[in-house]
Amino acid sequence: MNRRDLLNAPVKPMELKSKMTVNQLIQQFDNAGSFGAGRLATACDVFENMVRDEKCTIFLALAGAVVPAGLRYIIADLIRKRLIDALVSTGANMIHDLIEAFGGHHYKGQWFIDDFFLYKYHINRIYDIFVPEEDFVKADKILIEMFDEIAKEKQGEVLSTNELMRLIGSRLENPKSIVRAAYETSVPIFLPAMRDSEFAYIHIVHKERSKNDKTLSVDSFKEASEMVALARKSERLGMVVIGGGVPRNAVQHATLMADKGLDYAVIITTDRPEYGGLSGSTPEETISWGKLKKKAGKVMVIGDAMIIFPLTVAAVLERLGKDFQRKGNP
Amino acid sequence: MNRRDLLNAPVKPMELKSKMTVNQLIQQFDNAGSFGAGRLATACDVFENMVRDEKCTIFLALAGAVVPAGLRYIIADLIRKRLIDALVSTGANMIHDLIEAFGGHHYKGQWFIDDFFLYKYHINRIYDIFVPEEDFVKADKILIEMFDEIAKEKQGEVLSTNELMRLIGSRLENPKSIVRAAYETSVPIFLPAMRDSEFAYIHIVHKERSKNDKTLSVDSFKEASEMVALARKSERLGMVVIGGGVPRNAVQHATLMADKGLDYAVIITTDRPEYGGLSGSTPEETISWGKLKKKAGKVMVIGDAMIIFPLTVAAVLERLGKDFQRKGNP
Amino acid sequence: MNRRDLLNAPVKPMELKSKMTVNQLIQQFDNAGSFGAGRLATACDVFENMVRDEKCTIFLALAGAVVPAGLRYIIADLIRKRLIDALVSTGANMIHDLIEAFGGHHYKGQWFIDDFFLYKYHINRIYDIFVPEEDFVKADKILIEMFDEIAKEKQGEVLSTNELMRLIGSRLENPKSIVRAAYETSVPIFLPAMRDSEFAYIHIVHKERSKNDKTLSVDSFKEASEMVALARKSERLGMVVIGGGVPRNAVQHATLMADKGLDYAVIITTDRPEYGGLSGSTPEETISWGKLKKKAGKVMVIGDAMIIFPLTVAAVLERLGKDFQRKGNP
Amino acid sequence: MNRRDLLNAPVKPMELKSKMTVNQLIQQFDNAGSFGAGRLATACDVFENMVRDEKCTIFLALAGAVVPAGLRYIIADLIRKRLIDALVSTGANMIHDLIEAFGGHHYKGQWFIDDFFLYKYHINRIYDIFVPEEDFVKADKILIEMFDEIAKEKQGEVLSTNELMRLIGSRLENPKSIVRAAYETSVPIFLPAMRDSEFAYIHIVHKERSKNDKTLSVDSFKEASEMVALARKSERLGMVVIGGGVPRNAVQHATLMADKGLDYAVIITTDRPEYGGLSGSTPEETISWGKLKKKAGKVMVIGDAMIIFPLTVAAVLERLGKDFQRKGNP
């Protein structure tokens, strides 16, 4: 590498104008190409490439309270357009999707409030979102009944989390629900830590009122095999991460167990590498494990997913055009 | 509250001297009482109070790669002294404990290195730690055999993660192992996302070579019931969190499902509240859900757990005295 | 406050479509209203209100390497449109504006590179930006001559940083330069830590070759008086902060010394309150000092200014319309 | 580099015991050698080497509200022991030293409080510290008088910030004051952004009541020359950074202007590289500029300085022994 090669791409200062589209703004970010703006522009490119690759199976790994905070329709829409082929989520995000599917709501609140006061009012707080207890209770009630019904149907058959989510999805009506959209499009939903959510409470109540042989049984490892099988039959693999944690790790590990490795990775996180946790680990680190290919399109954008993810999706939707519909994989 | 009440505790500047003990330093932090120093001093007090409360069941929630990074003996020691009564961990931390229990190692490495070079050398990187592939392979081999053996013994009985960890613990010899220490002291180990780790690979290989009726079966929800039962029969509940994520949420949710709420909480994290994720949520937010009591001793220390946790434990061990042995709960 | 009041504004999930304008996206952020998306939507509102307030003097406080990274034209444009009335900056950001004004460039580079290799090549790195030594040298040369010339003109008169910046601005030709735009529009540029930048080197060389009585003299405190005077004669005061540090503090302190307090504040930072530094302090904390009015429109957006600031400006430009030109204050 | 070389230093898990000294704990951090623990252990080594190097001039760069928070005596003590040879600080930290030197106090407060309530009570908040207005007023009053007196003495002579701080130091009695300790030991105090602090208010009042020819005049650039001269006559250069910002940059730039470059650097910060600001830039980046030597002992510890700095100092004091007194440089 000689000196000239290092100095061949000048930073072009951004120029703004009134009524720019989102993608026009992203193109200015690309012109500047520095710090977060550069990374975000790259994220749009990598996501676009992933989506335009007809042989790529795309996983969305979802952690953090982004569904209650307002990403629900975006994710359902990505599923319906098949811009993602599989969803790997925390249990909680699906619970919050279901709360809204059953008519409940999340409310704009404030973080600077006396939490004991909220507690007495039966209002649960997620930073600046309020979730009234009754909306949880309503969802619990419906889901316990679904669990009873599914258990009866399945007669002791051991399910994977994905199979259970499909059975729930088939019972929903709300077309804007993520779980419903996934059911209708046959996009799998894997919940590698399903039990770490309101689903655990639902299962406990269901179990306590079931005869033992009629208890719904979810196997811890079954979905791992399903994810590996999915990865094995995919030609190429892509991953979009919101937040990290168990969902990100589960996707990465599946690609390794399938003896493949990701071809594309967009990671949106607020975590950092230096504490050593998986959520903050760089795409580069992932290469050492064989979970990401050396030549993969890859980028990690550090920032609030509630801002970064919609920006990325809006820019890519603009590039794809209004009527873009992906076929889906594998 | 009048003005005088707001101004009654002057910050006393810290004074250092040669050969201070850790707890003497923490007392200087308490004198200053500000920013991180104040929070860390409070964390020592809350942990001390938790431990001195003979009726308190203490959960350690463990996320992040802290076992490979060197907290293994500290945690095993806390278990043996019964300064914790239950461990709720990511699967990966237990895998890394087992890697060392079987004679493998983690190595001091560097983060600033070509990861494809490491990949070709079969070295996996965790920030500045290197884990050679062969140590994973060795652990895999032994654990696959254990899975075969346990499956044969259990004849289709569906296990919880805790039951499986006990069965593994009973087969270990290394006394410094966390899993072994937990077995010997009957401290449960709950792995709410067990499948999101090398255990998934181990299970897949085991399953592929087992007759179907001899496959080890781990139920997703069984450990949740066990945790709730444990919380129900405890008089008081305490939690120490390293990192957050699924382990923290699982503990908090268990206390809620048990209709209790924590009496003590020390949370060590590098995450922040404003992105809305659970790992960064404040102890105060936890009150709104009923997972933490209003009057609980509570503190969140923002910092690297590899520094903050040993500091806290060393100071509290000093306060407790050399021969302190707790009875354990519940 | 009764329960109903807490639950009156449901989070409306965002909806994206192809070819959205930036402000349409921000309106979706406002619909969701949570976490970073909510704060960013508020920032657009506060900045819009500030700009539409004809009696408000708006300070832009500028820290971090955002000029080399590509915000140069945006800031010059804000000055020309008089969406800001005064600039308070680090010295370095003005140096980098001048480097480009004199024909130099910043280059897109990479952060993952051997820095000693760059050093040997005379390339200075700012994260993923490369700045070739020769562009510094060229700017130094021109500025040293300007210093000589100005010193000669001023005959020992002691200048403020603002006076010096005006004298430099008057000598520039590049209309896209921030310093030139400020000169042409009579927008003052205050550099409260001017000496902490290449200006110090320039001054040293200038001084070493000047006769002592012909050395350019810049007074540390003179600009403070000018800022206080400006604040005193303003009816209302607004502040937009990129990054924090000395520029933010200087603005806040000026409003206090003027016995006023800000009416509007938008703070974009990646710092946090809990370490106690000024850059991460909340707008609320600022109220206790009397630097921000209780009823001020205020928000702190945590994120990369290279993303957040252009988003905010683009949305507000869209709201204001293509031909909006502000009169400017005071 | 062959594979064996990458795997030659196993992580040794930490072992804690009751009544460890601080340095014994740091040695356990060194055994583990990973993540923050490894970096902190390295920081102790680099600071020890710097101090034991008899030809090294050591700068302490000080930003953030660490003096009000309780580091005042530690810094004064480092000065008296000559473990630092020059202090480069924000103006505010010196103001808070002087507030206590004049009998004022900072108080332990809470961050979760109504700031308008504090405002009405004339209490200024710095995160969880309260500073009563009257202690500011008292310091202002004394310092205004000192300014009057110094101006009269100096008869229009233009001072550097360091010269002014010495003149203030000579007028103090409190031996625990940083400014006094620096005066007594001839350790210079450079304040590259002096005017960005209460000193500006003090100067304004002083100026308004002075005849113009009797106004104290502080030159912006004079201290830069002094710092360069100091660096030039030093054989080796070391830097300890708390926080970053202008103080860090000023030290680094001085070593560059002196055509040297640092031989040692310990940086304690909570900022990160990826946003491109100076405070978060890595020591490696500093090498590209020639501000840090390639072979320098260097480390960046990410964490709260209120915890990390006292830990580092206490460990090094233990290594140096009780009666260690450094000669000081240059």
Side-chain angles (χ1 to χ4, degrees):
Chain A
M1 187 161 45
N2 62 36
R3 191 174 192 268
R4 183 163 309 186
D5 296 336
L6 293 168
L7 300 174
N8 63 3
V11 170
K12 287 187 212 148
M14 298 179 200
E15 304 201 67
L16 303 182
K17 54 175 201 213
S18 194
K19 277 199 110 170
M20 303 177 81
T21 65
V22 172
N23 192 45
Q24 286 170 343
L25 180 63
I26 296 292
Q27 277 156 358
Q28 294 300 318
F29 286 5
D30 194 44
N31 286 348
S34 302
F35 307 168
R39 290 188 291 268
L40 178 49
T42 303
C44 294
D45 292 344
V46 176
F47 187 43
E48 184 189 1
N49 291 341
M50 213 185 291
V51 163
R52 290 200 191 274
D53 180 342
E54 294 185 1
K55 300 291 192 184
C56 178
T57 301
I58 304 175
F59 289 84
L60 175 64
L62 195 64
V66 291
V67 166
L71 296 192
R72 188 173 174 247
Y73 294 169
I74 297 178
I75 294 166
D77 194 48
L78 287 175
I79 289 172
R80 290 191 183 277
K81 289 198 163 70
R82 286 306 292 262
L83 302 192
I84 60 173
D85 296 301
L87 180 61
V88 184
S89 175
T90 58
N93 271 313
M94 295 305 99
I95 285 289
H96 288 282
D97 176 70
L98 294 169
I99 283 175
E100 295 203 18
F102 300 142
H105 288 291
H106 301 86
Y107 294 87
K108 296 178 187 177
Q110 339 160 25
W111 66 268
F112 199 97
I113 195 164
D114 180 336
D115 284 286
F116 186 64
F117 171 83
L118 292 182
Y119 171 71
K120 286 182 297 183
Y121 267 170
H122 299 277
I123 294 175
N124 302 291
R125 183 167 71 86
I126 305 173
Y127 192 62
D128 57 6
I129 299 172
F130 293 158
V131 199
E133 190 65 26
E134 60 269 26
D135 288 354
F136 265 108
V137 170
K138 192 204 284 182
D140 288 347
K141 199 162 166 290
I142 300 174
L143 285 165
I144 293 164
E145 273 162 31
M146 284 192 189
F147 271 39
D148 291 350
E149 192 182 293
I150 293 168
K152 208 168 151 189
E153 238 177 75
K154 288 295 160 182
Q155 295 288 339
E157 187 188 329
V158 176
L159 302 175
S160 71
T161 60
N162 172 40
E163 290 166 335
L164 177 54
M165 292 314 290
R166 280 195 63 70
L167 291 164
I168 294 172
S170 73
R171 284 161 169 80
L172 302 175
E173 281 163 21
N174 185 312
K176 298 229 162 179
S177 156
I178 294 170
V179 178
R180 179 68 193 178
Y183 169 74
E184 288 183 18
T185 55
S186 298
V187 164
I189 297 179
F190 302 106
L191 304 181
M194 185 182 195
R195 144 273 182 283
D196 177 42
S197 69
E198 193 69 4
F199 285 120
Y201 174 73
I202 290 159
H203 190 269
I204 284 176
V205 178
H206 151 73
K207 185 181 174 184
E208 285 177 0
R209 72 191 207 180
S210 304
K211 303 276 179 262
N212 205 31
D213 58 329
K214 294 280 178 43
T215 300
L216 183 66
S217 180
V218 176
D219 186 82
S220 274
F221 290 109
K222 194 171 180 189
E223 58 146 56
S225 301
E226 291 170 351
M227 282 179 69
V228 173
L230 189 71
R232 275 185 189 149
K233 71 182 171 199
S234 297
E235 209 147 313
R236 276 181 296 280
L237 295 166
M239 169 177 81
V240 178
V241 175
I242 295 181
V246 165
R248 174 177 168 189
N249 197 41
V251 174
Q252 294 186 174
H253 199 220
T255 71
L256 177 67
M257 291 190 288
D259 255 326
K260 298 215 163 172
L262 292 154
D263 299 87
Y264 306 92
V266 172
I267 299 165
I268 301 168
T269 186
T270 55
D271 203 350
R272 307 311 165 77
E274 64 268 11
Y275 308 117
L278 183 279
S279 301
S281 65
T282 58
E284 287 73 23
E285 179 174 320
T286 309
I287 292 173
S288 77
W289 294 79
K291 295 171 181 172
L292 183 69
K293 288 183 184 162
K294 186 194 176 182
K295 304 212 163 176
K298 58 183 177 295
V299 69
M300 180 155 156
V301 185
I302 296 180
D304 192 314
M306 293 298 299
I307 295 171
I308 303 301
F309 186 67
L311 261 172
T312 306
V313 172
V316 171
L317 289 179
E318 186 172 341
R319 294 179 190 183
L320 297 174
K322 191 157 72 83
D323 300 318
F324 186 88
Q325 176 66 44
R326 200 164 171 263
K327 181 186 52 66
N329 279 299
Chain B
M1 187 161 46
N2 62 35
R3 191 174 192 267
R4 183 164 308 185
D5 296 335
L6 294 167
L7 301 173
N8 62 4
V11 170
K12 288 185 212 151
M14 298 180 202
E15 304 200 68
L16 303 183
K17 56 176 199 210
S18 194
K19 278 199 107 169
M20 302 177 83
T21 65
V22 172
N23 192 45
Q24 286 170 344
L25 180 64
I26 295 293
Q27 276 155 359
Q28 294 300 319
F29 287 6
D30 194 45
N31 286 348
S34 301
F35 307 169
R39 290 188 290 268
L40 177 49
T42 302
C44 294
D45 292 344
V46 176
F47 186 43
E48 184 189 1
N49 292 342
M50 212 185 293
V51 162
R52 290 199 191 275
D53 180 342
E54 294 185 1
K55 300 291 192 184
C56 177
T57 300
I58 304 174
F59 289 85
L60 176 64
L62 194 64
V66 291
V67 166
L71 296 193
R72 189 174 174 247
Y73 295 170
I74 297 178
I75 294 166
D77 194 48
L78 288 175
I79 289 172
R80 289 190 183 279
K81 288 199 165 72
R82 287 305 294 262
L83 302 193
I84 60 173
D85 297 302
L87 179 61
V88 184
S89 176
T90 57
N93 271 313
M94 294 305 99
I95 285 289
H96 288 282
D97 175 70
L98 294 169
I99 283 175
E100 294 204 16
F102 300 142
H105 288 291
H106 300 86
Y107 294 87
K108 295 177 187 178
Q110 338 160 24
W111 67 267
F112 198 98
I113 196 163
D114 180 337
D115 284 287
F116 186 64
F117 171 84
L118 291 182
Y119 171 70
K120 286 183 298 183
Y121 268 171
H122 299 277
I123 294 174
N124 302 291
R125 184 167 70 86
I126 305 172
Y127 193 60
D128 58 5
I129 299 173
F130 293 159
V131 199
E133 190 64 27
E134 60 269 27
D135 288 354
F136 265 109
V137 170
K138 192 204 281 183
D140 288 348
K141 199 161 167 292
I142 299 174
L143 285 165
I144 293 164
E145 274 162 31
M146 283 191 189
F147 272 39
D148 291 350
E149 194 184 292
I150 294 168
K152 209 167 150 189
E153 240 178 72
K154 289 295 160 182
Q155 295 288 341
E157 186 188 329
V158 176
L159 302 175
S160 71
T161 60
N162 173 39
E163 289 165 337
L164 177 54
M165 292 314 289
R166 281 194 64 69
L167 291 164
I168 293 172
S170 72
R171 284 160 168 80
L172 302 175
E173 280 162 22
N174 185 314
K176 297 228 162 178
S177 157
I178 295 171
V179 178
R180 179 69 193 175
Y183 168 74
E184 288 183 17
T185 55
S186 299
V187 164
I189 298 179
F190 302 106
L191 304 181
M194 184 182 195
R195 143 274 180 284
D196 177 43
S197 69
E198 193 69 4
F199 285 120
Y201 174 74
I202 290 160
H203 191 267
I204 284 175
V205 178
H206 152 73
K207 186 181 174 182
E208 285 176 2
R209 73 190 207 180
S210 303
K211 304 277 178 260
N212 204 30
D213 59 328
K214 294 279 176 46
T215 300
L216 183 65
S217 180
V218 176
D219 186 82
S220 273
F221 290 109
K222 195 171 178 188
E223 59 148 53
S225 302
E226 291 170 351
M227 281 178 69
V228 173
L230 189 70
R232 275 185 190 150
K233 70 182 170 201
S234 297
E235 209 147 311
R236 278 181 294 281
L237 295 166
M239 169 177 80
V240 178
V241 175
I242 295 181
V246 166
R248 175 177 167 188
N249 197 40
V251 174
Q252 293 185 173
H253 200 220
T255 70
L256 178 67
M257 291 189 289
D259 255 325
K260 297 215 166 175
L262 292 154
D263 299 87
Y264 307 92
V266 172
I267 299 165
I268 302 169
T269 188
T270 56
D271 203 349
R272 307 311 165 77
E274 62 268 11
Y275 307 117
L278 183 280
S279 301
S281 65
T282 58
E284 287 72 22
E285 179 173 320
T286 309
I287 292 172
S288 77
W289 294 78
K291 295 170 181 174
L292 183 68
K293 289 184 184 162
K294 186 194 176 183
K295 304 213 163 175
K298 59 183 177 293
V299 69
M300 180 155 157
V301 185
I302 297 181
D304 192 315
M306 293 299 297
I307 296 171
I308 304 301
F309 186 67
L311 261 171
T312 307
V313 173
V316 171
L317 289 179
E318 187 173 340
R319 294 180 189 182
L320 297 173
K322 190 155 72 80
D323 300 317
F324 187 89
Q325 177 66 43
R326 201 165 170 263
K327 179 185 54 63
N329 278 301
Chain C
M1 187 160 46
N2 62 36
R3 191 174 192 268
R4 183 164 308 188
D5 296 335
L6 293 168
L7 301 173
N8 63 2
V11 170
K12 286 186 213 150
M14 299 178 200
E15 304 201 67
L16 303 182
K17 56 176 198 212
S18 195
K19 279 200 110 171
M20 301 176 84
T21 65
V22 172
N23 192 44
Q24 285 170 343
L25 180 64
I26 296 292
Q27 277 156 357
Q28 294 301 318
F29 287 6
D30 193 46
N31 286 348
S34 302
F35 306 169
R39 289 187 291 267
L40 177 50
T42 302
C44 294
D45 293 344
V46 176
F47 186 43
E48 185 189 1
N49 291 342
M50 214 184 292
V51 162
R52 291 199 190 275
D53 180 342
E54 294 184 1
K55 301 290 192 185
C56 178
T57 301
I58 304 175
F59 289 84
L60 176 63
L62 195 64
V66 292
V67 167
L71 295 193
R72 190 174 174 247
Y73 294 170
I74 297 178
I75 293 166
D77 194 47
L78 288 175
I79 288 171
R80 289 190 183 280
K81 289 199 164 70
R82 287 304 295 259
L83 302 192
I84 60 175
D85 296 302
L87 179 61
V88 184
S89 176
T90 58
N93 271 313
M94 294 306 99
I95 285 290
H96 288 281
D97 176 69
L98 294 169
I99 284 175
E100 295 204 15
F102 300 141
H105 289 290
H106 300 86
Y107 294 88
K108 296 177 184 176
Q110 340 159 21
W111 65 269
F112 199 98
I113 195 163
D114 180 336
D115 284 286
F116 186 65
F117 172 84
L118 293 182
Y119 171 70
K120 286 183 298 183
Y121 268 170
H122 298 277
I123 295 175
N124 301 291
R125 184 167 71 83
I126 305 173
Y127 192 61
D128 57 5
I129 299 173
F130 293 158
V131 198
E133 191 63 27
E134 61 268 27
D135 288 355
F136 265 108
V137 170
K138 192 203 284 181
D140 287 347
K141 201 163 164 292
I142 300 173
L143 286 164
I144 292 165
E145 275 163 28
M146 284 191 189
F147 272 39
D148 291 350
E149 193 183 293
I150 294 168
K152 211 169 148 188
E153 240 178 73
K154 290 295 159 182
Q155 295 288 341
E157 187 188 329
V158 177
L159 302 175
S160 71
T161 61
N162 172 39
E163 289 166 335
L164 177 54
M165 292 314 290
R166 279 195 64 71
L167 292 164
I168 294 172
S170 72
R171 284 159 169 81
L172 301 176
E173 283 163 20
N174 185 313
K176 298 228 160 178
S177 156
I178 294 170
V179 178
R180 179 70 194 176
Y183 169 74
E184 289 183 16
T185 55
S186 298
V187 164
I189 298 180
F190 302 106
L191 304 181
M194 185 183 196
R195 142 275 180 284
D196 176 43
S197 70
E198 193 69 4
F199 285 119
Y201 174 74
I202 290 158
H203 190 267
I204 284 176
V205 177
H206 151 72
K207 185 182 175 184
E208 286 177 0
R209 71 190 208 180
S210 303
K211 304 276 181 261
N212 205 31
D213 59 328
K214 293 280 177 42
T215 299
L216 183 66
S217 180
V218 177
D219 186 81
S220 274
F221 290 109
K222 195 172 180 189
E223 58 148 53
S225 301
E226 292 171 351
M227 282 179 68
V228 173
L230 189 70
R232 274 186 189 149
K233 69 182 170 201
S234 298
E235 208 146 313
R236 276 180 295 280
L237 295 166
M239 169 178 80
V240 178
V241 175
I242 295 182
V246 166
R248 174 177 168 189
N249 197 41
V251 174
Q252 294 185 173
H253 200 220
T255 70
L256 178 67
M257 291 189 290
D259 257 324
K260 298 216 165 173
L262 293 154
D263 299 87
Y264 307 91
V266 172
I267 300 164
I268 302 169
T269 188
T270 56
D271 202 350
R272 307 310 165 78
E274 63 268 11
Y275 308 117
L278 183 280
S279 301
S281 65
T282 59
E284 287 72 22
E285 180 174 321
T286 309
I287 293 173
S288 76
W289 294 79
K291 296 171 182 173
L292 183 69
K293 287 184 185 161
K294 186 195 176 182
K295 303 213 163 175
K298 59 183 177 293
V299 68
M300 180 157 159
V301 185
I302 296 180
D304 192 315
M306 294 297 300
I307 296 172
I308 303 301
F309 185 67
L311 261 171
T312 306
V313 173
V316 171
L317 289 179
E318 187 172 341
R319 295 180 191 183
L320 297 174
K322 191 156 70 80
D323 301 317
F324 187 88
Q325 176 66 44
R326 200 164 171 265
K327 180 187 51 68
N329 278 301
Chain D
M1 186 162 46
N2 63 37
R3 191 174 193 268
R4 182 162 310 183
D5 296 336
L6 293 168
L7 301 173
N8 63 3
V11 170
K12 286 186 213 150
M14 297 178 202
E15 304 200 67
L16 304 182
K17 55 175 202 217
S18 194
K19 278 198 109 168
M20 301 176 83
T21 66
V22 172
N23 193 45
Q24 286 170 344
L25 180 63
I26 296 293
Q27 277 156 358
Q28 294 300 318
F29 287 6
D30 193 45
N31 286 347
S34 302
F35 308 169
R39 289 187 292 267
L40 177 50
T42 302
C44 294
D45 292 344
V46 176
F47 187 43
E48 184 189 2
N49 292 341
M50 212 184 292
V51 162
R52 289 198 190 276
D53 180 342
E54 293 184 2
K55 301 289 191 184
C56 178
T57 301
I58 304 175
F59 289 85
L60 176 64
L62 196 63
V66 291
V67 166
L71 296 193
R72 188 174 175 248
Y73 294 169
I74 297 178
I75 294 167
D77 193 47
L78 288 175
I79 289 172
R80 291 190 181 277
K81 288 197 164 73
R82 286 306 293 260
L83 301 192
I84 61 174
D85 296 302
L87 180 61
V88 184
S89 176
T90 57
N93 271 312
M94 294 307 98
I95 285 290
H96 289 282
D97 175 69
L98 294 169
I99 284 175
E100 295 204 17
F102 300 141
H105 288 290
H106 301 86
Y107 294 87
K108 296 177 186 176
Q110 341 160 22
W111 66 269
F112 199 98
I113 195 162
D114 180 336
D115 284 287
F116 187 65
F117 172 83
L118 293 182
Y119 171 71
K120 287 183 296 183
Y121 268 171
H122 299 278
I123 294 174
N124 302 291
R125 184 167 71 86
I126 306 173
Y127 193 61
D128 57 5
I129 298 173
F130 293 157
V131 199
E133 191 63 26
E134 61 268 27
D135 288 354
F136 266 109
V137 170
K138 191 204 285 182
D140 288 348
K141 199 161 167 293
I142 300 174
L143 285 164
I144 293 164
E145 274 162 30
M146 284 191 189
F147 272 38
D148 291 350
E149 191 183 293
I150 293 168
K152 210 167 151 189
E153 239 178 73
K154 289 294 159 184
Q155 295 288 340
E157 186 189 328
V158 176
L159 302 175
S160 71
T161 60
N162 173 39
E163 289 166 336
L164 177 54
M165 292 314 289
R166 280 194 64 68
L167 291 163
I168 294 173
S170 72
R171 285 160 168 79
L172 302 177
E173 281 163 21
N174 185 314
K176 298 228 162 179
S177 155
I178 295 170
V179 179
R180 179 69 193 176
Y183 169 73
E184 289 184 16
T185 55
S186 299
V187 163
I189 297 180
F190 303 106
L191 303 181
M194 185 182 195
R195 144 272 182 285
D196 176 43
S197 69
E198 193 69 4
F199 285 120
Y201 174 74
I202 290 159
H203 190 268
I204 285 176
V205 178
H206 151 72
K207 186 182 175 185
E208 285 177 0
R209 72 191 208 179
S210 303
K211 303 275 178 261
N212 205 31
D213 59 330
K214 294 280 179 43
T215 299
L216 183 65
S217 179
V218 176
D219 185 82
S220 274
F221 290 108
K222 193 171 181 190
E223 58 146 56
S225 302
E226 291 170 351
M227 281 179 69
V228 173
L230 189 71
R232 275 186 189 147
K233 69 182 171 199
S234 298
E235 209 147 311
R236 278 182 293 281
L237 295 166
M239 170 178 79
V240 178
V241 174
I242 294 180
V246 167
R248 174 176 168 189
N249 197 40
V251 174
Q252 294 186 173
H253 199 220
T255 71
L256 178 66
M257 291 190 288
D259 254 325
K260 297 216 164 172
L262 293 154
D263 299 87
Y264 307 92
V266 172
I267 300 164
I268 301 169
T269 187
T270 56
D271 203 349
R272 307 312 165 76
E274 63 268 10
Y275 307 117
L278 184 280
S279 301
S281 65
T282 58
E284 286 74 22
E285 179 173 321
T286 310
I287 292 173
S288 77
W289 295 78
K291 295 171 182 171
L292 183 69
K293 288 185 184 161
K294 185 194 177 183
K295 302 212 163 175
K298 59 182 176 295
V299 69
M300 180 156 156
V301 185
I302 296 179
D304 192 315
M306 293 299 298
I307 295 171
I308 303 301
F309 186 67
L311 260 171
T312 306
V313 173
V316 171
L317 289 179
E318 186 172 341
R319 293 180 190 184
L320 297 174
K322 191 156 72 81
D323 300 318
F324 186 89
Q325 175 67 42
R326 200 165 170 262
K327 181 184 54 63
N329 278 301

